[in-house]
């Protein structure tokens, strides 16, 4: 397999999102045979089961992006000790109608950054619970509950020197996780 395509899902829609910046910095640390595409989902309607038989064009678009990916990268903030509502809305749309989930079997990595010391720990745990139900094999270690202190990101959008070793280690493990699961599918 030449290139592995990764769907990047950032749980924040905010223009100056710390987690968007983290996602952008992460892709710079991956090997060249990984290609990352961010899934844009700010135009999804609220999920309503009545629409399952006639999904909106925006829903079909994001489902196609996720379906064609070899792996998933979730980078999410924590809102009120859980995942953002817009992220849950995306997950629900892409898992429906029942029996037609595009999440099934796709290897995932989950991380997030916050200015708080818990660094999105509870949001990540909630997201992992949801992904487990959807049969998304999610990398368990290393965990990355990132406390984004001054210097975490450089002015030009790279991971700062103090955090680079840890974040690079996480990316290396994620790359190995995706490769392992993609190889299993091709055997």
């Amino acid at each position: 397999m030449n290139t592995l395509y990764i769907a990047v899902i950032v749980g924040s829609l905010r223009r100056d999102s710390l987690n968007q910046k983290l996602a952008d910095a992460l892709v710079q640390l991956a090997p060249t045979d990984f290609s990352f595409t961010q899934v844009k989902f700010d135009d999804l309607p609220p999920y309503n089961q009545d629409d399952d038989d006639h999904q909106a064009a925006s829903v079909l678009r994001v489902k196609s992006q996720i379906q064609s990916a070899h792996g998933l990268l979730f980078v999410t903030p924590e809102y009120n000790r859980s995942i953002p509502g817009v992220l849950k809305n995306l997950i629900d749309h892409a898992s429906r109608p029942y029996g037609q989930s595009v999440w099934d079997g796709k290897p995932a990595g989950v991380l997030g950054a916050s200015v708080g010391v818990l660094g999105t720990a509870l949001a990540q745990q909630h997201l992992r619970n949801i992904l487990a139900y959807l049969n998304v094999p999610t990398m368990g270690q290393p965990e990355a509950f990132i406390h984004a202190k001054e210097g975490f990101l450089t002015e030009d959008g790279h991971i700062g020197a103090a955090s680079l070793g840890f974040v690079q280690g996480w990316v290396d493990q994620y790359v190995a996780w995706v490769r392992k699961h993609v190889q299993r599918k091709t055997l």
Side-chain angles (χ1 to χ4, degrees), residues 106-184:
K106 299 220 179 268
V110 174
L111 76 164
S114 171
V115 296
V117 295
L118 293 179
T120 73
L122 295 173
Q124 288 186 46
Q125 188 55 51
H126 287 179
L127 180 54
R128 289 172 187 281
N129 290 342
I130 295 165
L131 296 175
Y133 172 76
L134 295 172
N135 195 36
V136 174
T138 304
M139 185 175 82
Q141 295 295 325
E143 295 177 310
F145 310 129
I146 298 172
H147 178 199
K149 299 185 268 186
E150 186 174 329
F152 173 67
L153 291 170
T154 64
E155 289 293 321
D156 60 352
H158 293 86
I159 303 295
S163 301
L164 183 57
F166 173 76
V167 175
Q168 182 67 64
W170 189 94
V171 170
D172 293 346
Q173 288 297 318
Y174 171 73
V175 164
W177 179 256
V178 171
R179 283 189 172 132
K180 178 174 101 174
H181 285 274
V182 170
Q183 287 173 350
R184 284 182 186 167

Side-chain angles (χ1 to χ4, degrees), residues 38-44 55-68 90:
Q38 185 161 341
V39 177
K40 295 288 190 185
F41 56 95
D42 58 343
D43 57 345
L44 294 182
Q55 293 177 316
S58 58
V59 172
L60 296 174
R61 182 194 74 239
V62 297
K63 287 180 74 171
S64 176
Q65 284 182 288
I66 294 163
Q67 182 67 49
S68 64
L90 166 66

Side-chain angles (χ1 to χ4, degrees), residues 39-88:
V39 177
K40 295 288 190 185
F41 56 95
D42 58 343
D43 57 345
L44 294 182
Y47 175 72
N48 181 338
Q49 189 175 0
D50 290 342
D51 298 330
D52 278 359
D53 291 334
H54 306 286
Q55 293 177 316
S58 58
V59 172
L60 296 174
R61 182 194 74 239
V62 297
K63 287 180 74 171
S64 176
Q65 284 182 288
I66 294 163
Q67 182 67 49
S68 64
H70 295 105
L72 309 166
L73 176 61
F74 289 89
V75 186
T76 188
E78 184 170 296
Y79 291 178
N80 300 313
R81 301 288 189 247
S82 190
I83 63 172
V86 294
L87 178 55
K88 182 64 166 74

